[in-house]
Amino acid sequence: MKIFLDTANIPSIKTFVDMGVLDGITTNPTLIAKENREFTELVHDILKLVPGPVNLEVVSQDSEGMIREGHDLAGLGPNVVVKCPMTGEGLKAVRKLHKDGIKTNVTLIFSPNQALLAAKAGADYASPFIGRLDDAGHEGMKIIEETLRIYQNYGLGTQVLVASIRHPIHVVEAAKLGAHVATMPPEVLDKMVKHPLTDIGLKRFLDDWEKAGLRLPEGRASPMKPKPLIQRA
Ligand code: G3P
């Protein structure tokens, strides 16, 4: 499963790019607004850091406006994916952008039927919001299971991008179901890195090492040269 970070925050993005665990970025107008920066400059900084898909959302509500914005956003970088809302106008925009060779993501999906329509319109990604469904008293993960099944039944190539993830269990469940992508806030990805037993174990190893007064060799390591697989006579 691909891991995307749901943020426009440069230090957070850099942290996880450096760990080599990040496959892409999703943003939305709320996340962009939080950064308090000029939009295009911020996006250029994100694109410099992230080689994978960078999802940027349109803000028009009519399809013509979305198509125009979609072209402008796609012009910012070859890895931009244009997010359109799950509305009739959004689907029209997705259909046209798809025909124009621009990658799209249908956002704000809350039912398997909406996910089916997003795929039929030609979306590259469909984003069900599972946390917000959980908040409203539904079982958010069920829509992931149902959407994956529907896409599989009809050989639809749209990727299921699990959005509105609130905690690491959501990520495990999404991966077990075979979702294509999970996008999550930096706090959730940070929780996935950490485990209290890892910290306790590491402390114990280092305490024992220190107590024994041991030292690793310094400055004597020779650069490793790969040995040829076949030794020639
Ligand atoms: O970016 C879309 C989605 O992941 C937002 O999540 O936490 O605002 O429900 P949330």
Side-chain angles (χ1 to χ4, degrees):
M1 185 175 67
K2 288 181 195 129
I3 291 183
F4 288 9
L5 209 55
D6 198 24
T7 188
N9 182 264
I10 296 294
S12 300
I13 294 171
K14 191 168 178 341
T15 299
F16 295 105
V17 165
D18 289 348
M19 285 184 204
V21 296
L22 211 59
D23 298 300
I25 294 292
T26 49
T27 64
N28 60 38
T30 307
L31 294 171
I32 295 283
K34 262 194 206 167
E35 297 309 308
N36 216 7
R37 286 186 57 188
E38 199 277 318
F39 176 77
T40 309
E41 276 178 22
L42 175 60
V43 169
H44 279 309
D45 285 352
I46 297 173
L47 290 168
K48 263 187 250 158
L49 279 173
V50 183
V54 172
N55 287 253
L56 305 172
E57 192 159 336
V58 297
V59 288
S60 280
Q61 297 197 42
D62 61 297
S63 59
E64 277 180 20
M66 289 184 208
I67 293 163
R68 200 181 49 249
E69 289 171 1
H71 276 273
D72 291 345
L73 293 171
L76 295 175
N79 47 336
V80 167
V81 177
V82 176
K83 277 175 90 175
C84 295
M86 180 53 228
T87 59
E89 290 298 298
L91 292 178
K92 271 198 240 172
V94 164
R95 177 170 178 258
K96 175 74 170 83
L97 291 168
H98 176 66
K99 280 191 177 161
D100 294 344
I102 291 172
K103 289 213 178 333
T104 56
N105 173 357
V106 175
T107 187
L108 289 163
I109 288 182
F110 292 95
S111 77
N113 276 336
Q114 289 183 319
L116 173 60
L117 298 181
K120 288 188 79 75
D124 294 277
Y125 300 91
S127 295
F129 276 32
I130 58 162
R132 292 191 196 183
L133 278 167
D134 286 353
D135 292 346
H138 301 281
E139 198 189 328
M141 203 53 75
K142 202 156 174 20
I143 184 180
I144 303 302
E145 193 181 344
E146 290 172 337
T147 301
L148 285 166
R149 174 99 173 264
I150 291 166
Y151 285 4
Q152 197 180 19
N153 283 351
Y154 299 103
L156 297 167
T158 303
Q159 297 193 42
V160 177
L161 190 157
V162 184
S164 185
I165 280 179
R166 300 271 196 264
H167 48 71
I169 300 291
H170 273 155
V171 184
V172 174
E173 292 299 327
K176 277 168 32 184
L177 289 171
H180 304 88
V181 188
T183 190
M184 63 204 75
E187 305 77 51
V188 173
L189 192 44
D190 194 46
K191 283 181 188 161
M192 285 168 62
V193 173
K194 291 174 184 159
H195 195 289
L197 288 178
T198 304
D199 298 340
I200 291 166
L202 181 59
K203 185 175 180 322
R204 198 179 295 164
F205 284 155
L206 296 179
D207 286 351
D208 290 344
W209 179 262
E210 198 64 29
K211 263 187 251 155
L214 296 163
R215 291 283 171 270
L216 287 177
E218 275 173 40
R220 276 187 284 137
S222 56
M224 299 270 285
K225 276 192 195 148
K227 281 190 186 152
L229 288 174
I230 301 164
Q231 299 285 351
R232 288 183 208 283

